[in-house]
Amino acid sequence: FLFPDCLHIYPSWGSCSLGVFICVQCSGIHRNIPAIGMKVKSLSLSRWEDQEVKFMAENGNELMKQKYEAFVPVYYYKPTHKDCQVLREQWIRAKYERKEFTGEGKKQTYEEGTRDGMLMKRGRDNGQFLNRRFVLSEREGTMKYFTKYDAKEPKAVIKVDSINAAFQPEKIGNPNGLQITYLKDYNTRNIFLYHDNGKEIVDWFNSIRAIQLHYLKVAFPGANDAELMPKLTRNFLKEGYMEKTGPRHTEGFKKRWFTLDHRRLMYYKDPLDAFAKGEAFLGHQDHGYRASPGLPAGTHCNGAWQHGITIVTPERSFLFTCETEVEQQDWLKHFNDVISIQMSPQERTPVRDDHVLLFIKGLETYIAVIVWL
């Protein structure tokens, strides 16, 4: 009963067509799919017939999960109630409408090892979305994009094992918006994509994850799936605006967009910038990293925001201010959660601040950390 499609702990609706309990957000998705949404009822507000109650009792979420999720690929992203609409809708459609996971041996489009198609990509300089051809290849381990469909040379060749992909509908301004982040010339590069078809963009997303898992198994032959899954695409821990000052702490505080991606805190002038203006690496507290509320005594805070945060690293301190105390406490919680996690053997401290790279363990360590972080 407590495990609906999106893992919400309070399912308040039921599908009399499937015999599963669902949350209120997913009930709307179910209702809009004719093949499965003919009978969706509120558990507390609707009138239930005896035969409907009996049907729900005879089926239920656990039994239906065994049927409709029998062969879900390990890399396939299973969304929760916290994920965006397109991920939840395509998960529900894949399970119940297309029945993608009910039969062993069914080969899906995201399992073919290659993908070739057109996606709308935001221009780095002009901000316009234009149709671009993307080619994903397991054999080459790359994702390429071309400015024209018949272009002979790609505009960019991206190593799949360096890609992170995260859905960002609000940031991109499209319900199917997908952000691709990868390493380019030792800098983090962002590209922003969408496709009008929800299934198409989610299939691209899972195709990337499938190829990533393939390469991880080659790179770490002794690792099991549970150990490798966290290395696939991941959602950012937190994003939002803060104000920051420079390394001397005498510069004026400026409003910046921040993205916390595991141990990397990146900041941008605009949320849709192609490159970060700077990065900070958050290691473990035993190595001299800490985050605390407030600013050092004597700090001149010229900004409009007064709720300070100080992050101390072995190289320098970073000073931020938040608009509200609620935001300050939420950022601090995320920072301290990261700092309290023990670092893996591959994680060292590469820091890029205002495009200056400080290599702690040399170039090889920097690449390894960014690729596998």
Side-chain angles (χ1 to χ4, degrees):
F1 178 83
L2 295 180
F3 299 97
D5 297 319
C6 63
L7 303 181
H8 200 291
I9 61 173
Y10 298 115
S12 55
W13 288 69
S15 168
C16 305
S17 305
L18 297 167
V20 296
F21 297 95
I22 54 183
C23 75
V24 63
Q25 289 86 0
C26 290
S27 70
I29 298 174
H30 278 253
R31 195 178 294 108
N32 289 327
I33 303 175
I36 65 172
M38 298 301 292
K39 290 185 178 181
V40 178
K41 291 187 172 185
S42 167
L43 299 184
S44 59
L45 301 176
S46 301
R47 184 177 183 276
W48 287 74
E49 302 294 339
D50 290 344
Q51 64 268 27
E52 293 172 339
V53 175
K54 181 181 179 183
F55 180 75
M56 298 294 289
E58 290 174 346
N59 292 282
N61 292 41
E62 192 59 36
L63 189 61
M64 291 301 98
K65 179 178 179 180
Q66 294 173 22
K67 176 182 178 180
Y68 289 105
E69 297 184 34
F71 300 99
V72 181
V74 293
Y75 59 79
Y76 193 98
Y77 185 82
K78 297 182 181 181
T80 73
H81 62 282
K82 297 179 180 180
D83 283 299
C84 62
Q85 173 87 2
V86 67
L87 275 172
R88 289 185 289 114
E89 178 177 341
Q90 291 307 315
W91 169 236
I92 291 170
R93 288 185 179 274
K95 282 174 62 174
Y96 302 125
E97 185 181 43
R98 299 192 292 267
K99 298 180 175 62
E100 293 182 10
F101 316 122
T102 58
E104 189 173 15
K106 281 188 176 181
K107 195 162 182 73
Q108 305 298 336
T109 178
Y110 40 79
E111 296 182 294
E112 294 175 353
T114 184
R115 192 170 191 88
D116 188 331
M118 305 297 288
L119 296 171
M120 298 298 291
K121 175 189 172 293
R122 186 179 190 272
R124 184 183 70 178
D125 299 320
N126 59 21
Q128 295 181 346
F129 280 91
L130 297 173
N131 225 1
R132 296 290 182 252
R133 181 189 178 199
F134 282 78
V135 178
L136 187 63
S137 172
E138 180 180 279
R139 182 177 61 84
E140 298 179 7
T142 60
M143 183 177 186
K144 303 175 183 178
Y145 79 85
F146 302 79
T147 55
K148 296 181 179 179
Y149 187 84
D150 56 354
K152 294 183 179 180
E153 296 297 325
K155 176 71 173 178
V157 179
I158 308 166
K159 285 287 192 180
V160 174
D161 57 9
S162 74
I163 288 177
N164 186 36
F167 278 91
Q168 298 277 9
E170 293 184 6
K171 182 195 290 188
I172 294 173
N174 185 283
N176 301 336
L178 182 68
Q179 179 177 343
I180 301 289
T181 304
Y182 64 97
L183 193 66
K184 180 180 181 181
D185 300 328
Y186 314 117
N187 293 304
T188 300
R189 170 77 160 100
N190 299 313
I191 59 175
F192 303 96
L193 311 169
Y194 74 84
H195 195 284
D196 288 332
N197 184 286
K199 180 181 184 302
E200 182 72 12
I201 197 69
V202 173
D203 282 351
W204 273 98
F205 177 65
N206 282 304
S207 295
I208 292 171
R209 290 173 61 88
I211 294 177
Q212 285 183 330
L213 183 61
H214 168 79
Y215 273 86
L216 284 169
K217 287 186 173 181
V218 173
F220 302 100
N224 58 41
D225 289 340
E227 293 171 321
L228 296 178
M229 291 304 293
K231 299 181 182 295
L232 302 185
T233 63
R234 62 199 174 272
N235 293 324
F236 299 135
L237 296 178
K238 183 173 173 63
E239 287 192 296
Y241 282 107
M242 290 191 291
E243 291 182 339
K244 73 171 292 294
T245 186
R248 294 189 298 274
H249 301 169
T250 57
E251 305 88 343
F253 279 77
K254 295 180 180 180
K255 186 178 178 181
R256 295 289 183 254
W257 177 266
F258 284 82
T259 296
L260 180 59
D261 183 10
H262 190 43
R263 294 195 182 277
R264 295 162 57 217
L265 178 65
M266 298 166 282
Y267 58 92
Y268 304 83
K269 188 174 182 180
D270 184 89
L272 295 176
D273 282 347
F275 293 97
K277 290 184 67 66
E279 297 183 11
F281 180 84
L282 303 182
H284 187 257
Q285 55 199 13
D286 291 347
H287 298 270
Y289 295 86
R290 60 183 175 84
S292 58
L295 302 174
T299 302
H300 176 64
C301 184
N302 67 320
W305 298 351
Q306 302 298 316
H307 303 277
I309 294 176
T310 299
I311 293 181
V312 177
T313 77
E315 286 75 37
R316 57 165 286 196
S317 295
F318 295 85
L319 307 185
F320 311 118
T321 56
C322 300
E323 185 174 15
T324 67
E325 185 178 359
V326 171
E327 272 294 285
Q328 176 203 45
Q329 293 302 313
D330 194 43
W331 276 110
L332 278 170
K333 179 183 182 303
H334 283 89
F335 291 149
N336 285 308
D337 285 348
V338 171
I339 290 171
S340 67
I341 300 172
Q342 290 287 346
M343 288 192 290
S344 68
Q346 293 88 4
E347 290 175 329
R348 294 296 182 265
T349 316
V351 179
R352 183 173 64 80
D353 182 56
D354 296 323
H355 306 298
V356 178
L357 294 172
L358 303 177
F359 292 94
I360 304 303
K361 290 291 183 179
L363 180 61
E364 200 168 306
T365 300
Y366 178 82
I367 294 173
V369 170
I370 293 297
V371 168
W372 300 117
L373 204 58

